Amino acid sequence: MTSEKIKKRYPRPPISLIESNIPGWEVDIYIGGSKGVADAELLEKHNIKVVLNCAINLDINLVHFEEANTPEHLLRHGSGRVRYFKIGLIDGAGNPEAMILAGYHLMRSALDQELPEKASYKVREKGNILVNCRGGRSRSVTIVALFLHLEYPDRYPTLETAIAHIREKRELHPDEWFETPKPALIQLAERAAEMEKTLRQAGFGRTP
């Protein structure tokens, strides 16, 4: 069965709650696809204040507070309803292994970041985080699984246990598990986990 047939046969919500009130940050983690991240009302309903887009082939115009007096030749720019981060991953082979590790650190840093009290920083509330890609099935699953495994090893002792948890919460059917996430991304995530643990043992990074 092709990927498109699987998607039609096993539809899923635009966004899915993966973890609630995570220790250390006390926010919820969601995973979603392009329709979920583009739904401003849905983001507001779930108090999502941080968006991490993992897809290199998906761009989203989240500008809400547009810069005044923007020249006509410039694209729309300004501030959004959320704090927006992006790491452009390919859905499959072709990513440098460091990009997956960078995705973990970007997700964690997005949660840690403290914004100053300035008018130009319009969204300072912590709120919840949505990690998205085009379908919310592979790239976003990879990054969140790596985050859960590295941050909460007692609960997710392996990357696979984190992926299994996400598959259930994201309502990914067993017929699509062969590509949710893509095997190439799982391999890179396993390597990224090893790299992070080695850095921690050497005294760099964070030890849970």
Side-chain angles (χ1 to χ4, degrees):
M1 189 181 298
T2 65
S3 297
E4 290 304 317
K5 288 182 179 179
I6 288 173
K7 292 175 187 176
K8 291 179 181 178
R9 185 172 180 181
Y10 306 115
R12 64 193 55 81
I15 67 172
S16 302
L17 177 63
I18 306 301
E19 283 286 348
S20 299
N21 200 33
I22 56 172
W25 291 279
E26 287 69 52
V27 299
D28 300 340
I29 298 175
Y30 290 85
I31 286 179
S34 55
K35 291 183 179 179
V37 72
D39 190 332
E41 292 182 358
L42 189 63
L43 300 182
E44 183 176 358
K45 176 183 176 181
H46 293 282
N47 193 34
I48 292 168
K49 299 297 183 183
V50 177
V51 167
L52 171 55
N53 181 357
C54 299
I56 195 170
N57 56 343
L58 176 66
D59 293 308
I60 304 157
N61 183 357
L62 294 172
V63 174
H64 181 57
F65 304 99
E66 190 167 359
E67 296 289 339
N69 303 317
T70 302
E72 291 185 2
H73 70 282
L74 294 182
L75 297 176
R76 191 175 182 217
H77 64 283
S79 300
R81 294 180 172 88
V82 299
R83 296 187 299 282
Y84 180 61
F85 301 82
K86 181 171 182 178
I87 184 157
L89 295 173
I90 298 166
D91 191 18
N95 298 294
E97 62 181 17
M99 285 191 78
I100 302 294
L101 183 59
Y104 155 70
H105 280 287
L106 184 56
M107 180 175 174
R108 192 176 191 285
S109 297
L111 294 172
D112 280 340
Q113 190 177 52
E114 298 286 344
L115 271 66
E117 293 285 340
K118 292 178 63 177
S120 58
Y121 297 95
K122 299 184 184 299
V123 182
R124 289 187 291 274
E125 305 92 339
K126 284 296 181 182
N128 300 320
I129 182 170
L130 168 64
V131 183
N132 79 277
C133 51
R134 183 171 293 276
R137 304 165 66 246
S138 184
R139 288 167 283 190
S140 53
V141 173
T142 301
I143 296 302
V144 174
L146 182 59
F147 176 88
L148 293 178
H149 169 51
L150 290 173
E151 292 299 320
Y152 311 111
D154 290 343
R155 183 171 179 184
Y156 303 104
T158 65
L159 183 70
E160 184 55 40
T161 56
I163 291 173
H165 170 75
I166 295 171
R167 283 171 173 162
E168 177 183 354
K169 294 294 185 179
R170 183 67 183 133
E171 301 179 33
L172 300 173
H173 192 274
D175 285 356
E176 56 183 332
W177 287 0
F178 72 95
E179 63 175 6
T180 58
K182 296 290 196 304
L185 294 178
I186 294 176
Q187 293 172 6
L188 288 179
E190 290 173 342
R191 174 62 178 151
E194 293 173 0
M195 292 165 63
E196 177 64 16
K197 291 170 186 176
T198 299
L199 288 170
R200 293 177 181 181
Q201 290 171 0
F204 299 97
R206 174 180 180 272
T207 302

